[in-house]
Amino acid sequence: NVCPECNHHFRIETMTRVRHLADEGSFQEVLSELTTSDPLGFRYRGTSYKQRLKADEKKCGAREAMRIGKAFIKGRGVILAVMEPNFLMGSMGFVVGEKLCVAVEKAIEESLPLVVVCCSGGARMHEGVVSLGQMAKTSATLAKYDEAGGLFISVLADPTTGGVTASFAMLGDCIIAEPGALIGFAGPRTIAETMKVELPEGFQTAEFMLEHGFVDMIVHRKDLRSEIARLIDYCQK
């Protein structure tokens, strides 16, 4: 899922990502049946939130925008959480927040590293303040994990934006980005129109973020398994 000519990293769905990262057959998913309700009775242009959920589930086969479970990466046990870009653009609602918190709690219980692959348009507008509350919830749970001495490796895929960037995505002990990934809070067009300035070339790309100290490294997808395993070995010496 990478162009051999230009090195463009295409977006990939959760189970493809899991197969890329985890040792074969090692991923044990939990909370796979957890689905959201419709706390606001949200409708947009005649389409209800529940209708949109069903449509996206049918389109991509996922019931929510994150899968979590225990896995092994090159023989190293981890708790793995992977976001689904094809389900409401990986947006974070109640279920995503709950799943991430459960993943963190399992990592604490089992003294395992936490690996989260972020790919999201941000907080889910369909759930309003319920969605925004997940930013504080996930950040507080990760603070507990940090106090317990856990290792959190955050992998930023294209795009990682909005409330996900403003919460758990940027709280990793090590933050890895895929080449060319869009990383930011508000989009570049919104920023340019608000501030009335011309933005620098490459603004909000992974390379720009690395240059300005917002991510620790950029790793090609083919090297991601090896790099995560190396980081685990290094940090747990």
Side-chain angles (χ1 to χ4, degrees):
N1 294 286
V2 176
C3 176
E5 297 294 331
C6 69
N7 200 40
H8 177 74
H9 282 51
F10 293 97
R11 295 172 190 168
I12 53 177
E13 49 88 24
T14 47
M15 291 313 299
T16 301
R17 177 74 70 174
V18 167
R19 287 191 290 271
H20 280 183
L21 288 179
D23 297 350
E24 186 175 357
S26 71
F27 183 64
Q28 301 170 19
E29 187 175 3
V30 298
L31 296 183
S32 61
E33 300 303 311
L34 188 62
T35 56
T36 188
S37 61
D38 184 5
L40 305 181
F42 188 91
R43 296 184 69 85
Y44 180 69
R45 293 183 178 176
T47 302
S48 72
Y49 180 32
K50 289 183 178 180
Q51 288 173 322
R52 181 67 191 276
L53 291 169
K54 289 180 181 178
D56 275 35
E57 180 181 347
K58 184 178 180 180
K59 178 179 70 177
C60 66
R63 303 198 70 182
E64 253 299 339
M66 179 177 277
R67 294 184 191 264
I68 63 168
K70 185 176 179 180
F72 288 86
I73 297 178
K74 289 205 162 187
R76 287 81 168 168
V78 301
I79 300 297
L80 180 62
V82 180
M83 302 195 75
E84 174 57 77
N86 297 314
F87 192 95
L88 274 76
M89 196 47 246
S91 54
M92 178 173 62
F94 165 74
V95 172
V96 169
E98 182 66 15
K99 282 190 171 187
L100 184 73
C101 289
V102 169
V104 175
E105 288 161 3
K106 285 187 173 294
I108 294 173
E109 289 170 11
E110 302 191 34
S111 299
L112 289 174
L114 174 69
V115 178
V116 179
V117 181
C118 305
C119 185
S120 176
R124 188 173 299 175
M125 67 175 184
H126 310 74
E127 296 185 20
V129 72
V130 176
S131 174
L132 294 177
Q134 305 311 309
M135 295 169 63
K137 178 180 175 179
T138 55
S139 298
T141 307
L142 282 166
K144 288 170 52 181
Y145 183 59
D146 184 59
E147 290 170 4
L151 171 63
F152 173 26
I153 299 173
S154 181
V155 180
L156 311 184
D158 179 69
T160 300
T161 58
V164 169
T165 302
S167 57
F168 64 86
M170 303 303 288
L171 294 177
D173 297 296
C174 183
I175 301 175
I176 301 172
E178 288 193 331
L182 173 69
I183 302 165
F185 181 60
R189 183 178 61 185
T190 302
I191 294 171
E193 289 177 355
T194 301
M195 298 182 65
K196 310 299 181 187
V197 296
E198 185 176 342
L199 299 174
E201 185 177 351
F203 181 69
Q204 291 188 330
T205 62
E207 292 73 17
F208 185 92
M209 293 297 175
L210 178 66
E211 183 181 346
H212 291 80
F214 284 93
V215 302
D216 296 304
M217 61 182 76
I218 295 174
V219 178
H220 192 286
R221 189 174 290 163
K222 67 182 174 60
D223 300 320
L224 203 50
R225 268 171 52 84
S226 297
E227 193 61 35
I228 290 172
R230 187 186 72 83
L231 284 169
I232 292 170
D233 290 346
Y234 179 80
C235 293
Q236 294 190 332
K237 284 183 179 178

